Amino acid sequence: MTWRPTSSTLTCKICCEPAHGVHFGVASCRACAAFFRRTTVLGKKYSCRLKNEQCTTNNEDRFNCRYCRYQKCLSCGMTPESNCSLYKEPSPKMKAEYLDHPTDPSPPLEMEQPTCARQTKDVTYEVQTDEKGEPIVKLDITGLLNNITSVLDDFIPSDDVRDLNTLTRMNHALIEYRQIHHSNVIKFVQTISMREILMTGNDQIKSITKFLMHSVPFRSLRNEDQMQMLKSIWVQWKRLERYVSTAQIFGKRMYEDQIVTLVPGLAAYLNKIHVDCAAFIYKKAEGMKFFMENFNTRMMEEVGKPLVELELTSVETAFMLAQMSWQVAGKELQGDVLKASESEQETLANELHIYYIEELRLPNYASRLIKIMNIINAAQKIHFERQSFMDLVRIFDFFRVHVSDPEIYKAYF
């Protein structure tokens, strides 16, 4: 817990500035306490600026070398455990925020000929034949890219959220997304077509664009950078949100029965679902199923189960999706996107801290936040390994589909 001193003579052990209180077991100022919290929770790694690991950390030099500043925190005795205990039960406020979903879904039913819930003009499908007479699907996604660009050019958050802080705006955007892409009626299916997944994904990517547009740094980027970031993160965003939703709807049944939602309103048992990709892959690629099932199993164990145990609030979910988006963008992109990523991640961390302390009255939150970050990292790791596998599959030309802009569907083909 934080203790506020009555004496004005107490100084920060890290930088010798006036201390605000005892944080993480050490008398420290707000800046050094926040720095240690971000470094610990986000798992940041630093290197010494001068390569000698002897930089000074007084009030004038504390910002120059983050490696030596963090080492000074440790040498003075700062530990996460001194400020926080292991998370056990969610607070009443968190339980009040937790969404009330049905936990007893309808029994399995089979959809022999699933149809797309919403027909759009985002994508033009055309079936042609290759030089061997094999059918090839050509996907022209010009309409989708134009529609996304229209959102980037024209979308402005409503007046009632424009003056809110970043995390609150992102939570508002998440609620809007779920009003469109969630269903109160869940049906179990045993078959779903790849075309249905793609068509639903086209709708979702436009809503994910609106989610990102609630971030001021994202709106400040050039259109080219916005589009590149969106292409990099939208599949991961969609998949992670889908797992969060499944955890909230089904609770422990999610990992005990291996349940996952596929698209809004449809769920399936992982060991029973058949994704009909026949129109998009050659017969020789059928062996891919084993590898894809392995990725799904890992997602359930490393992402789904921890999500069920944490019972995230809506604000925590918004933080997780925004944090994941900027973390991925910061790794894959450079220049203005990297700068925006670093700035927005720090803002989100600080505002989540305020949310835990002031809204949830939960000062002992660090271990919970570490678990959230572990989920983000696990989801990313599985995604990038899956992407590496898909890169290998493309080398052997297993897919019989040509996309006008392949990058946006690279997680699929």
Side-chain angles (χ1 to χ4, degrees), residues 9 20 81 151 198 205 208 219 224 241 272 344 352 364 382 394:
T9 60
H20 166 257
E81 293 78 13
V151 175
L198 289 177
I205 189 174
I208 294 170
R219 291 205 306 274
E224 296 84 352
E241 195 281 329
K272 295 181 180 179
E344 195 73 335
L352 186 66
N364 304 327
I382 294 170
R394 276 189 284 271

Side-chain angles (χ1 to χ4, degrees), residues 190-249:
Q190 294 181 353
T191 301
I192 188 170
S193 70
M194 190 65 198
R195 178 165 180 167
E196 183 172 9
I197 293 174
L198 289 177
M199 295 293 283
T200 304
N202 294 338
D203 288 343
Q204 290 170 323
I205 189 174
K206 288 176 285 187
S207 294
I208 294 170
T209 306
K210 293 180 180 179
F211 174 88
L212 293 175
M213 287 293 285
H214 281 77
S215 166
V216 174
F218 182 81
R219 291 205 306 274
S220 301
L221 294 172
R222 297 177 306 161
N223 269 28
E224 296 84 352
D225 290 334
Q226 291 173 330
M227 186 67 78
Q228 199 61 41
M229 177 173 169
L230 187 63
K231 291 178 181 179
S232 297
I233 65 96
W234 81 273
V235 171
Q236 294 187 65
W237 194 104
K238 177 177 74 91
R239 185 177 293 135
L240 186 56
E241 195 281 329
R242 185 160 50 87
Y243 269 76
V244 175
S245 300
T246 306
Q248 292 175 337
I249 294 170

